[in-house]
Amino acid sequence: MQTAADAGDAATLLAAVPAGRRVALVDPRFVGHVHALRLGLTDPRFAAATVPGALTAQPEARGALLRALRRTTAAVGAGAPVVAPDTDPAPEDRTVPGRIAVALEAEGTAVKRPELGSLTATVPTDAGARATAESARDEVDDEAVRLRSAVKAHDGFFTTFAISPYSRYIARWCARRGLTPNQVTTASLITALIAAGAAATGTRGGYVAAGILLLVSFVLDCTDGQLARYSLQYSTMGAWLDATFDRAKEYAYYAGLAIGAVRGGDDVWVLALGAMVLQACRHVVDFSFNEANHDAVANTSPTAALSDKLDSVGWTVWARRMIVLPIGERWAMIAVLTALTTPRIVFYALLVGCALAACYTTAGRLLRSLTRRASRTDRAAQALADLADSGPLAQGVAAVAPGLRGAFTAPAVALLGTLVMIGGALFLPYGSRLTVVAAAVYVVLSGLAVARPLKGALDWLVPPFFRAAEYVTILVLAARSDAPHAVPAAFGLVSAVAYHHYDTVYRIRGGTGAPPQWLVRTIGGHEGRTALVAVLAAVLTHTAGFTTALTALAVAVALVVLVESIRFWVSSSAPAVHDEGELA
């Protein structure tokens, strides 16, 4: 920390700081909470940020900061305003850091202004104002605010009332001992994998241990995010780990339960894969709807207005959060039922609960879409196209086919293709060549569905229909096969493909776009993989070769997707995605 005599001296001192380091300007008259400064000056997600009386810039914004400081040095020294003559600047913009923040924004550099809530951050201009600011600061315990803000603003009932009241203190304990969110995330994964191993024993003692360990894993899962918010340790690696480990833990636990059930004489692999498929399809409905309406213009949906009204009544808020079966409620149910019942009952409860939740959320989103007068943007259309995950076959059809017109044409065509594909896999004789014909029809209809930009009111349904077609087709064909271990192999294949789809979602959320087209083409796109599995089922009917082929396909997809994903998420261009309030 160095003290500058004036703005010109500050510019000289800042220029001498090594280029790769963050810098900050703080008015010496600043009065406020330490946590207010922490929020304004240490959050790594923003190139520049400010609170009243303080300003920070990451290396990428250093040049703009110095230019703005040098341009305004003479004006500040002469007492001339930096803002336009007909503008009455806010008090915080009259300080040197405040003036520089305004100048940065005028130049086009985004400056984050974090919400401080009850925290104090001000620059008093006289003794009376200083006394008032110090009194306001002393009345609020910033450590209590810091602990409270470490918890997600919109979390589920179980997490809010059964986990967060004490997990926030675990987060503080971790912060004071120098532990990082990534270390806690890894500990959560390891604990969940041990829980899966305990469930795989197929014994009552193993099931009880698995249930307890799953809850411990979830406590750690909450703690890592709270630690990130408490200590402002956001990172690209942390975003990737947090985004993927939840799914890895859940799928590994399903596999552990299925293995344990087989050891007890009950094969529930179909139920395990069904639960995974249903959960993944639920998520893609959420993702597609949110991306379609991320920047929608003129939202006038009465359904949305009713939802906002219900959110103003306490008990309806919690009831609505519980009915969607978020991760806290879901894992608590799985843990308790594992300890007390059998894997089959666990999966039955999951399938029923997730199906009801999916019906509730999808119905609400359909009503909002049908009653909303809004214009979808090009960004939304591109996001839906990326989520559709169309491969070279569908893209080829789209390139030569005329775009189908009509407000609801794309989802209708996608739904028809999905019904043809799933219906063929389910009702045609197993191994029939007609299943391959159904796959060919699905490829053509998939291409027609994405031949035009997805800007219709219900076009967000296209990616979920494609996910259902691919995942359910793999499930049905593996379940109908007599090939030994075909369903576990299908479980591995769907897991690898689902990872790719979740990876796509988090890249789009971070503003960096979908995975590269070469990756999508290499792994075939949804229609290519679906058609390939249909061909394999027809050619390798009732033989162990079908299991081998599914396993090889799963390994190939997993290797290509994971290598490229790891390369991206550890690169400097990866976004620091961080969930603040989604019911994952």
Side-chain angles (χ1 to χ4, degrees):
M1 181 183 297
Q2 299 186 61
T3 302
D6 53 31
D9 188 26
T12 301
L13 291 174
L14 288 177
V17 177
R21 296 177 60 182
R22 175 202 289 268
V23 295
L25 287 171
V26 181
D27 194 297
R29 300 167 295 168
F30 176 86
V31 174
H33 289 99
V34 173
H35 191 51
L37 280 178
R38 188 182 291 113
L39 289 172
L41 303 183
T42 65
D43 194 324
R45 294 175 295 176
F46 310 109
T50 186
V51 294
L55 171 72
T56 186
Q58 296 267 41
E60 59 267 31
R62 286 268 305 271
L65 171 64
L66 281 173
R67 289 192 299 272
L69 183 55
R70 286 165 177 160
R71 282 199 310 270
T72 57
T73 295
V76 171
V82 178
V83 295
D86 59 346
T87 304
D88 183 18
E92 60 268 21
D93 290 340
R94 296 171 187 160
T95 65
V96 172
R99 292 172 183 267
I100 301 305
V102 172
L104 280 173
E105 290 176 317
E107 185 181 303
T109 300
V111 180
K112 174 68 177 178
R113 288 176 165 81
E115 293 290 336
L116 298 181
S118 59
L119 295 174
T120 297
T122 186
V123 179
T125 56
D126 54 49
R130 173 170 288 275
T132 300
E134 289 175 345
S135 176
R137 178 195 62 194
D138 295 341
E139 287 175 359
V140 176
D141 183 353
D142 70 337
E143 179 60 20
V145 173
R146 188 182 182 189
L147 273 173
R148 187 168 60 249
S149 62
V151 178
K152 274 186 180 180
H154 305 286
D155 230 328
F157 182 88
F158 179 77
T159 304
T160 299
F161 294 103
I163 305 297
S164 292
Y166 59 88
S167 62
R168 69 183 75 181
Y169 294 101
I170 301 175
R172 182 171 67 179
W173 182 90
C174 293
R176 291 177 175 177
R177 282 153 184 80
L179 298 177
T180 67
N182 292 351
Q183 291 171 331
V184 178
T185 302
T186 303
S188 175
L189 174 66
I190 293 172
T191 304
L193 294 179
I194 295 172
T201 63
T203 65
R204 177 52 51 195
Y207 290 148
V208 172
I212 294 172
L213 287 170
L214 188 64
L215 288 177
V216 172
S217 175
F218 182 65
V219 171
L220 293 173
D221 185 57
C222 294
T223 300
D224 65 0
Q226 291 166 358
L227 174 58
R229 286 182 284 272
Y230 180 85
S231 58
L232 299 177
Q233 295 185 72
Y234 306 117
S235 68
T236 55
M237 177 64 77
W240 175 62
L241 294 178
D242 190 57
T244 57
F245 278 12
D246 279 351
R247 304 287 82 78
K249 289 181 286 190
E250 194 162 8
Y251 297 165
Y253 193 80
Y254 291 176
L257 282 176
I259 294 171
V262 169
R263 287 187 170 181
D266 187 15
D267 191 341
V268 296
W269 272 108
V270 170
L271 297 178
L273 180 51
M276 182 171 71
V277 167
L278 181 55
Q279 187 59 30
C281 290
R282 275 188 64 201
H283 277 152
V284 78
V285 167
D286 297 339
F287 298 146
S288 291
F289 178 82
N290 291 336
E291 288 303 324
N293 298 285
H294 177 75
D295 48 5
V297 179
N299 179 358
T300 58
S301 168
T303 307
L306 175 61
S307 178
D308 293 340
K309 185 176 181 180
L310 290 174
D311 278 344
S312 66
V313 183
W315 69 269
T316 63
V317 174
W318 296 116
R320 295 171 71 217
R321 289 186 188 178
M322 292 175 67
I323 199 173
V324 301
L325 204 64
I327 189 169
E329 278 73 1
R330 193 165 68 249
W331 281 30
M333 179 183 73
I334 294 171
V336 171
L337 292 179
T338 298
L340 300 180
T341 64
T342 64
R344 180 171 289 273
I345 293 177
V346 172
F347 288 124
Y348 281 155
L350 264 176
L351 289 167
V352 171
C354 289
L356 291 175
C359 290
Y360 170 78
T361 54
T362 304
R365 289 182 167 92
L366 285 171
L367 286 174
R368 290 191 184 200
S369 300
L370 292 172
T371 57
R372 170 181 281 145
R373 295 184 180 89
S375 299
R376 297 314 194 284
T377 63
D378 291 337
R379 177 199 177 280
Q382 183 58 54
L384 291 179
D386 292 335
L387 289 173
D389 192 35
S390 299
L393 297 179
Q395 290 176 357
V397 172
V400 300
L404 298 175
R405 298 185 179 276
F408 309 121
T409 301
V413 172
L415 175 60
L416 178 60
T418 297
L419 293 177
V420 168
M421 188 66 257
I422 295 177
L426 192 60
F427 298 113
L428 290 173
Y430 184 79
S432 170
R433 298 298 191 270
L434 291 177
T435 306
V436 179
V437 175
V441 173
Y442 174 67
V443 168
V444 172
L445 293 175
S446 298
L448 293 176
V450 297
R452 290 175 62 85
L454 298 176
K455 292 187 175 183
L458 296 179
D459 284 0
W460 58 270
L461 286 169
V462 171
F465 285 149
F466 289 163
R467 293 299 81 73
E470 180 178 6
Y471 297 165
V472 175
T473 296
I474 295 172
L475 166 62
V476 170
L477 292 178
R480 294 187 66 191
S481 171
D482 292 334
H485 310 302
V487 179
F491 189 97
L493 175 58
V494 173
S495 297
V497 174
Y499 175 87
H500 163 61
H501 290 144
Y502 281 109
D503 184 52
T504 300
V505 166
Y506 279 92
R507 293 198 199 200
I508 294 173
R509 280 184 174 181
T512 59
Q517 272 298 301
W518 69 260
L519 174 68
V520 177
R521 294 192 183 98
T522 299
I523 60 177
H526 71 92
E527 80 290 350
R529 292 186 298 270
T530 304
L532 177 58
V533 172
V535 170
L536 292 174
V539 173
L540 303 173
T541 307
H542 304 306
T543 68
F546 185 53
T547 299
T548 303
L550 288 179
T551 302
L553 181 59
V555 171
V557 171
L559 283 176
V560 173
V561 168
L562 281 172
V563 169
E564 206 286 326
S565 177
I566 292 171
R567 180 211 62 78
F568 170 78
W569 284 103
V570 301
S571 69
S572 59
S573 61
V577 180
H578 185 73
D579 271 336
E580 289 292 348
E582 291 196 358
L583 300 175

